[in-house]
Amino acid sequence: LGDSLVRSIVIPSSYPQDGRVFAGTDSAGVFRWDAGRGRWSAAGNGLPNSRVMYLTASQNFATDRTLFAATWGGGVAISTDRGDSWNVTGAGLGSPYVRTVTVSPNYPNDRVVYAGTNLGPYRTGNNASSWSYMGATGDELTNVDITGFAVTPSSPRTVFASTGGKGLWAYTESGSISGIAQAVQRLAAHIDPNLTFHAFLPMAPKNRLGGVC
């Protein structure tokens, strides 16, 4: 590894067959573990920034070979050849400083990806050809650092977003989503009623006797 500070590691679904593992480092980009050769090798050609905050892989990685990298200063990058090369994703991200990226549970079919930037959460429904802000511009998560996502597998989907200082939020993609075209259309049209969110406020810690510390 070219950097001992490793910020993310992802084990694709193809691991039982090929033994490949990917690591995102703080200053040296992405590295790939080659099980056959027993060593790490650089896999960051084309990355827009070498500071990789988070990596994620398609559930169908063995077939589509797709990885996403959240970079600090270069936006979100995509690789469709197992990390041999990377390309910057489309326009629409409110900031190039991206802390996390997550694919939807049904990514091989719906091509939905979520990106957490230092200026709020973003979503794409077209495999990152373009991005749109989740929710309404100027809402309470605008300009808030998004630190992580968790996504429910069922539809309508709920997207939980953790933040750097503003608690935990849940977005519900409500309404009937019957296909990729409709989902992408609603994203492009930015119809706010299809994305609602709720805050989970932090509670005061309690000691073993039940009182507030």
Side-chain angles (χ1 to χ4, degrees):
L1 287 173
D3 185 349
S4 59
L5 177 49
V6 180
R7 291 190 173 273
S8 181
I9 188 165
V10 63
I11 302 175
S13 57
S14 63
Y15 177 79
Q17 289 76 45
D18 59 28
R20 284 189 174 91
V21 179
F22 294 86
T25 68
D26 186 68
S27 64
V30 175
F31 286 80
R32 180 175 53 212
W33 175 254
D34 187 331
R37 302 170 68 183
R39 70 172 192 174
W40 293 96
S41 59
N45 183 42
L47 276 174
N49 190 287
S50 60
R51 189 177 191 187
V52 177
M53 306 299 289
Y54 199 84
L55 291 171
T56 193
S58 165
Q59 297 92 333
N60 202 21
F61 181 83
T63 301
D64 62 32
R65 303 180 174 187
T66 299
L67 295 161
F68 289 93
T71 75
W72 198 249
V76 176
I78 182 174
S79 172
T80 56
D81 54 13
R82 298 181 298 190
D84 288 342
S85 63
W86 296 83
N87 292 289
V88 180
T89 57
L93 278 179
S95 171
Y97 298 98
V98 185
R99 196 174 296 280
T100 187
V101 63
T102 301
V103 297
S104 84
N106 194 32
Y107 167 78
N109 297 311
D110 63 25
R111 293 299 192 246
V112 171
V113 185
Y114 306 92
T117 77
N118 67 325
L119 297 180
Y122 286 78
R123 178 187 187 275
T124 175
N126 54 20
N127 205 34
S129 294
S130 62
W131 298 87
S132 291
Y133 181 76
M134 291 177 62
T137 301
D139 66 20
E140 291 186 69
L141 285 190
T142 301
N143 299 331
V144 172
D145 195 5
I146 305 300
T147 59
F149 289 112
V151 188
T152 62
S154 59
S155 183
R157 197 174 289 145
T158 299
V159 183
F160 292 89
S162 58
T163 69
K166 206 154 188 176
L168 177 65
W169 292 71
Y171 288 80
T172 300
E173 299 176 348
S174 58
S176 174
I177 300 178
S178 59
I180 296 175
Q182 185 177 357
V184 172
Q185 182 180 12
R186 288 213 300 269
L187 173 67
H190 199 72
I191 301 174
D192 297 332
N194 292 319
L195 286 172
T196 59
F197 56 88
H198 308 278
F200 293 81
L201 300 178
M203 298 179 66
K206 295 184 178 181
N207 60 25
R208 287 183 298 175
L209 298 177
V212 177
C213 295

